[in-house]
Amino acid sequence: MPVISVPQDFNSEELYVDLRSIFEHSLFLKCEGFNFAGSIKLKAAAEMVAAAERDGILRPQSVLVESSSGNLGVALSMIAASKGYQFLCVTDSRCNLSTRRLMEAFGSQVHIITEPDANGGFLGARIAHVRALCASDNRYVWLNQYANPGNWKAHYHRTAPAIAAAFPLLDVLFVGAGTTGTLMGCARYFRERHRPVRIVAVDSVGSVTFGGTPGPRMIPGLGTSVRPPLLDESYVDDVMHVDEVDTIRACHRLARKGFLFGGSTGTVVSGAMDWLAQHNAHELTAVAIAPDLGERYLDTVYQTNWTQDLYGEDILDDTDRLTVGSRSI
């Protein structure tokens, strides 16, 4: 019986969903949403905070500040509340309302950026706001998830070894690309310490992470408007880009079978199924990482008016059509 005294001490590493009965290919989905922060970002948040404490960067009077589309902000809000720090999250208008309310419930401040930067992306504008805050008061401590090695080390030391232990004969791993912390940590682990595993990054259409053409993206979690400093493409074997229409359809197809996952998971599953179909990979052992669950997306991904206003009234008329619009580079 697990007994904990701080919320970050609990995280389920051993739950997988076999998607064979839902989609036409076998895929084991590693569920990372079963912790008190509700997402895989708990690992990176805990690692980065611990490193800042060891290095003497964080002090009792410090105010943590971070740019986040949502999940890392929730994780840092929870850890800050547990440890007695103040936390300010800089997010943007795409952040789910429930996510913002969660951060505020933990006692955190939330600044919402409503105007994109000169390149049309919100990430640059968020980072500029963080830099301005830090310049205005030396109490602010920016962990900088986009360049902090603790981001990828958390997954090198925890996520990847857990997958390797569960699937010693793993052939291919699908990982969503946001800050690329999860991607880089897992890719480094399997490149350096395990049998050869094909690493497939899954990104959103409109993201510039892998050199794609910038475009509007409404679902937070994956994709960037600024190339992540953590990314080293030499560790990535393939990249799949997924249109948000296919993200929505994958999420709803999973929900119709009783599995409510977040937008990032819908993107990863859609990209994975497209890759598996292209490679006729029925005999491969494949795992994908599901970063969070779906409750925070009830007002967006699972809200009819929201989806139809953005993607058209017929978006869910053919939910079983999963990979239309997906492409690989």
Side-chain angles (χ1 to χ4, degrees):
M1 178 181 68
V3 177
I4 63 172
S5 57
V6 293
Q8 57 268 31
D9 281 352
F10 172 75
N11 186 66
S12 175
E13 287 279 14
E14 299 180 351
L15 180 63
Y16 294 81
V17 176
D18 184 352
L19 298 184
R20 184 190 297 269
S21 63
I22 303 175
F23 300 99
E24 58 190 59
H25 293 279
S26 176
L27 180 68
F28 297 97
L29 194 60
K30 188 178 192 303
C31 301
E32 290 282 354
F34 292 97
N35 56 58
F36 284 98
S39 82
I40 196 171
K41 291 292 188 177
L42 175 61
K43 297 175 184 176
E47 180 73 24
M48 292 189 294
V49 168
E53 289 175 332
R54 289 193 302 268
D55 295 341
I57 298 171
L58 270 178
R59 300 178 177 87
Q61 70 275 17
S62 297
V63 180
L64 279 167
V65 61
E66 187 56 80
S67 160
S68 170
S69 60
N71 281 338
L72 183 72
V74 172
L76 285 172
S77 294
M78 187 194 77
I79 292 173
S82 173
K83 290 177 171 285
Y85 295 118
Q86 296 181 64
F87 174 60
L88 189 158
C89 181
V90 179
T91 187
D92 61 62
S93 52
R94 298 170 303 171
C95 180
N96 298 317
L97 177 61
S98 59
T99 300
R100 301 202 298 265
R101 287 176 173 170
L102 268 173
M103 290 187 276
E104 291 168 347
F106 284 123
S108 299
Q109 296 183 62
V110 181
H111 288 189
I112 302 170
I113 303 300
T114 58
E115 296 295 329
D117 62 14
N119 296 319
F122 283 100
L123 179 55
R126 289 187 348 220
I127 291 175
H129 188 73
V130 170
R131 293 188 189 278
L133 287 171
C134 292
S136 71
D137 192 329
N138 60 13
R139 292 179 303 161
Y140 285 113
V141 174
W142 181 26
L143 296 176
N144 191 2
Q145 64 164 325
Y146 310 102
N148 193 318
N151 190 346
W152 68 262
K153 287 180 180 179
H155 305 289
Y156 181 94
H157 293 299
R158 295 185 61 185
T159 308
I163 294 170
F167 296 91
L169 299 180
L170 180 66
D171 293 304
V172 57
L173 177 65
F174 299 94
V175 188
T179 64
T180 69
T182 307
L183 175 65
M184 287 293 96
C186 291
R188 281 189 168 94
Y189 177 88
F190 283 107
R191 176 74 62 86
E192 298 169 8
R193 298 197 176 189
H194 203 58
R195 65 186 293 275
V197 173
R198 194 166 190 85
I199 302 297
V200 180
V202 183
D203 198 9
S204 300
V205 170
S207 169
V208 305
T209 299
F210 296 94
T213 302
R217 292 174 293 105
M218 299 305 299
I219 301 173
L222 296 186
T224 63
S225 57
V226 179
R227 181 182 169 89
L230 292 177
L231 177 63
D232 182 344
E233 290 188 62
S234 68
Y235 286 93
V236 179
D237 296 298
D238 295 306
V239 179
M240 302 297 295
H241 278 92
V242 176
D243 192 281
E244 288 188 339
V245 168
D246 295 308
T247 293
I248 300 290
R249 287 175 175 153
C251 286
H252 281 260
R253 187 166 173 180
L254 286 161
R256 288 179 181 178
K257 296 297 184 179
F259 293 106
L260 196 72
F261 284 105
S264 297
T265 299
T267 302
V268 172
V269 169
S270 179
M273 289 300 165
D274 197 13
W275 188 95
L276 292 168
Q278 291 178 17
H279 291 79
N280 193 25
H282 292 280
E283 303 304 318
L284 295 182
T285 298
V287 169
I289 296 176
D292 61 4
L293 301 177
E295 290 90 341
R296 296 174 191 174
Y297 301 82
L298 294 178
D299 293 329
T300 54
V301 170
Y302 296 102
Q303 215 284 329
T304 301
N305 290 339
W306 188 89
T307 57
Q308 290 183 345
D309 287 347
L310 287 173
Y311 308 107
E313 293 188 0
D314 62 345
I315 181 172
L316 297 179
D317 289 349
D318 192 5
T319 299
D320 287 340
R321 187 182 64 196
L322 178 59
T323 60
V324 173
S326 303
R327 66 179 186 271
S328 61
I329 63 172

